[in-house]
Amino acid sequence: MAAAGRVARIVIDSALPQLDHLFDYGVPDALDADVHPGVRVKVPLRTGARMVSGYVVEVLPREQIDFEGELTPIDQVVSTARVLTPAVWALARKLADRSAGTANDILRFAVPPRSVRVEKAWLTAQEAGREAGREAHASASARPSVAPIGGYGDGLLESAIAAGERVALRTMPGVVRTPEGEWVGQWAVTLAGAAVACWASGKSAIIAVPDYRDLDQLAATLVALAPADAVVRVDGRQTDSERYKAFLGALSGPRIVIGSQSAVYAPADDLGLLIVWNDGDPLHAARQAPYIHTRDAALVRQEQQGGALVLAGRIRSVEAQRLVELGWLRAVDPERAVWPKVILSANQTAEEPVARAARIPSVAWRTARAALEGDEMTPAGPVLIQVARPGYAPQIACAKCGQAARCNRCTGPLGQRRAGGVPSCGWCGALATNWHCDHCEHDRFRLVTLGSGRTAEELGRAFPGVRVIVADGEHPVQSVPDARAIVVATRGAEPVAAGGYRAVLLLDGERMLARETLGVAEDCLRWWTNAAGLAAPGAPTVLVGVSGGLARDFATGRVAEFAHAELADRRALHFPPAVRLASIAGAPDVVDAAVAAVDPALLIDVLGPATVDDATVRAILRFEYAKGQDVATAVRGAIVRNASKRRKAPAGKTGFRPAPTLRVQFDDPDII
């Protein structure tokens, strides 16, 4: 029997969009003491035989519910841990409504799977008043002395954070040694210092970074600045139990939460600071529904909860530039202009044959050799060489006609994984043992693109006796010592060198710029700037084979001017982020119905539908930010109607419901 005065509103764990709302259940007398907002429960759905999981969102007196009939009672309280906080629920609901998605898709991302053992230990500590870090934080003597954040004027950044401002922060280049002897980027010291200052004031701070390399640097910096139990790490490499332990740690009082995408949803207590590092990095764009970008989640959360927001990076993303020009973000740059020494080099043929084979022009060759040899003023040290592609030879071509080599089985691109190896297909993995060109029937190939492996091989010949290190996805390297070495790294995988690199060579710039994407110039500028930021003070950075305005902006440090010009061009063309996009893909009739559901007055225009494959088309809606909520509501209605529609069941499949044939993504990064 349900308790007389209590009704629980529950969000159930279901991927069906038509079930994305709160359900009212009665609170039985036997469970009345355990039913509180945020706890996990099991409830019957439709019939008592079908039980589903869910979270209690709120508990209300019975008289506040309009329904006068008998409510189905909650079947079970799975745990008394209040894992869904009101702030996280409000964030999930708002983001789902903004993107025509379901709140459950976000909650699966925000609340990790339950680990019974970890949860029981945490609950025991809570009951005993020994929750990790709370007593230490309550004691003034346990709070660290916070050093001022240097480089931004006397207390400028600290005062902006204390006032809860929204800031677009440009960090300084360079590497710094922590008291424990670890070398990290200067950016990590700046962001960690801001987070510790926030935590010392009694509030929580969240720092979201693109990948584990950035996360490791941040964690190494915080070791010396804050107690271990004050830092909560959310890492995709953690086991489920480790992730759940970290999640519960964030529930235990003010903490510094660091992690990748999911960190922005951490249940931080009294949030005072939210930082997104390198918000333009594609890794911040979620690849699962409802496809929420970390930056967008941070903007919505800060608007709901208050506190300070910092979008930090060595360059400013075009999206952040738009917010700066709207006055939503305040631009904060270093007090003193600090920029790496950049040399622009044409892709001239080097004099030395070995350098020519390694694609290094004369200027870059001389720069690398001088750094490896050293002099009286500058000792010899490591040299970083950034390349576009991992592997040995990612692309090969026919030696006779020059046509790109394709797999004879699936027509995928062929590449060579190692010297002397048999080419293999990048799609199906088949070995091309009997390959022949489908254009001229020739059976020999030549290398077209050189990856990190082949580049390292050529550089080993060019600099005999010098250690060559490969750093890419297959060979992760976090740091290198202060010793003569050549480090060949793909973009984003550059390790930190002790004391900084004595020279940085940026190869394959023209190949990076050849990518077919709207943000290619911004991506390249970020890759180059991040690599140049690892150089030692005064060490040269050589950009090979790129000229024009982008190269000049990189060489002179005019990154804010670049972002402004890029945004102006996109405004003229009605491209993101000047406007918002929504891509709608599915069967032609379903896409037509979804587009027709949106009032044309809400849209700038509709692009397509265009054919994706034999059964799928895609239409793109363009609209102003102010119309985004109305567009999302209309599209969501089309999603629910499509998901609710039953089609004729195949023989022997009573009640069959085909999978939804509609895929909607707002601000689709694959389009822009």
Side-chain angles (χ1 to χ4, degrees), residues 289-504:
Y291 313 102
I292 304 297
H293 195 284
T294 306
R295 176 184 54 248
D296 295 334
L299 288 166
V300 172
R301 184 164 191 177
Q302 189 274 339
E303 188 176 13
Q304 289 181 332
Q305 290 187 248
L309 172 68
V310 176
L311 300 184
R314 291 192 179 100
I315 70 167
R316 188 180 303 157
S317 68
V318 180
E319 289 80 6
Q321 178 66 26
R322 169 183 167 272
L323 296 173
V324 168
E325 295 185 9
L326 288 174
W328 189 257
L329 293 178
R330 173 189 177 187
V332 174
D333 293 331
E335 183 180 25
R336 182 175 64 89
V338 180
W339 195 251
K341 176 184 177 182
V342 177
I343 301 171
L344 302 181
S345 171
N347 213 350
Q348 300 170 342
T349 302
E351 300 173 0
E352 297 82 356
V354 286
R356 191 162 54 243
R359 316 190 313 288
I360 301 179
S362 298
V363 172
W365 166 264
R366 290 193 296 269
T367 301
R369 186 170 58 185
L372 291 170
E373 293 176 352
D375 55 33
E376 295 181 358
M377 299 294 296
T378 305
V383 172
L384 173 63
I385 299 182
Q386 184 191 74
V387 297
R389 299 283 296 273
Y392 186 77
Q395 185 177 353
I396 62 176
C398 175
K400 183 177 180 181
C401 68
Q403 179 170 288
R406 292 281 175 178
C407 176
N408 292 331
R409 176 186 296 178
C410 70
T411 71
L414 293 182
Q416 193 175 15
R417 293 181 177 274
R418 61 182 181 278
V422 177
S424 60
C425 177
W427 290 357
C428 70
L431 297 178
T433 52
N434 297 315
W435 177 83
H436 61 273
C437 178
D438 57 7
H439 178 68
C440 68
E441 297 297 324
H442 193 63
D443 61 358
R444 302 192 65 179
F445 60 85
R446 62 180 176 85
L447 306 183
V448 176
T449 61
L450 304 183
S452 55
R454 178 58 186 267
T455 302
E457 182 181 285
E458 297 294 351
L459 288 169
R461 298 191 186 102
F463 297 96
V466 177
R467 182 188 180 194
V468 179
I469 301 171
V470 176
D472 54 25
E474 295 183 356
H475 309 89
V477 180
Q478 296 283 70
S479 60
V480 295
D482 183 11
R484 295 177 69 240
I486 296 175
V487 180
V488 181
T490 52
R491 56 202 182 202
E494 302 90 353
V496 176
Y501 290 99
R502 302 302 188 271
V504 177

Side-chain angles (χ1 to χ4, degrees), residues 95-96 98-101 261 282 284-293 296 576 580-586 591 594 617-623 631-632 635-636 639 662-672:
L95 291 174
R98 185 179 184 272
S99 58
Q261 288 181 15
H284 277 302
R287 293 296 175 176
Q288 61 271 8
Y291 313 102
I292 304 297
H293 195 284
D296 295 334
R580 290 189 70 192
L581 296 181
S583 66
I584 304 176
V591 172
V617 299
R618 181 176 67 186
I620 299 173
L621 311 181
R622 292 200 289 189
F623 50 92
V631 172
V635 172
R636 175 175 163 74
I639 294 173
L662 188 62
R663 179 180 182 271
V664 175
Q665 184 168 357
F666 280 64
D667 309 310
D668 190 344
D670 293 333
I671 295 176
I672 61 177

Side-chain angles (χ1 to χ4, degrees), residues 479-669:
S479 60
V480 295
D482 183 11
R484 295 177 69 240
I486 296 175
V487 180
V488 181
T490 52
R491 56 202 182 202
E494 302 90 353
V496 176
Y501 290 99
R502 302 302 188 271
V504 177
L505 275 56
L506 306 175
L507 306 184
D508 301 336
E510 70 283 2
R511 187 174 301 156
M512 295 181 186
L513 285 168
R515 294 169 59 248
E516 295 182 359
T517 176
L518 180 63
V520 61
E522 179 188 336
D523 288 342
C524 289
L525 187 59
R526 184 179 60 256
W527 292 328
W528 299 337
T529 304
N530 287 344
L534 299 175
T541 295
V542 182
L543 176 61
V544 176
V546 180
S547 58
L550 178 62
R552 290 194 299 272
D553 288 343
F554 171 58
T556 57
R558 292 169 51 88
V559 290
E561 291 78 3
F562 162 82
H564 172 75
E566 187 79 1
L567 180 60
D569 290 343
R570 297 192 194 183
R571 282 200 179 106
L573 298 171
H574 287 100
F575 282 169
V579 299
R580 290 189 70 192
L581 296 181
S583 66
I584 304 176
D589 59 328
V590 176
V591 172
D592 290 341
V595 173
V598 183
D599 185 349
L602 298 174
L603 304 175
I604 297 173
D605 55 18
V606 179
L607 306 179
T611 301
V612 177
D613 53 42
D614 293 340
T616 307
V617 299
R618 181 176 67 186
I620 299 173
L621 311 181
R622 292 200 289 189
F623 50 92
E624 301 290 346
Y625 281 81
K627 306 292 181 62
Q629 188 61 63
D630 293 334
V631 172
T633 300
V635 172
R636 175 175 163 74
I639 294 173
V640 172
R641 287 190 292 273
N642 177 67
S644 303
K645 188 186 301 181
R646 286 189 179 273
R647 294 173 174 81
K648 185 177 179 180
K653 293 188 177 181
T654 305
F656 172 78
R657 187 190 300 272
T661 57
L662 188 62
R663 179 180 182 271
V664 175
Q665 184 168 357
F666 280 64
D667 309 310
D668 190 344

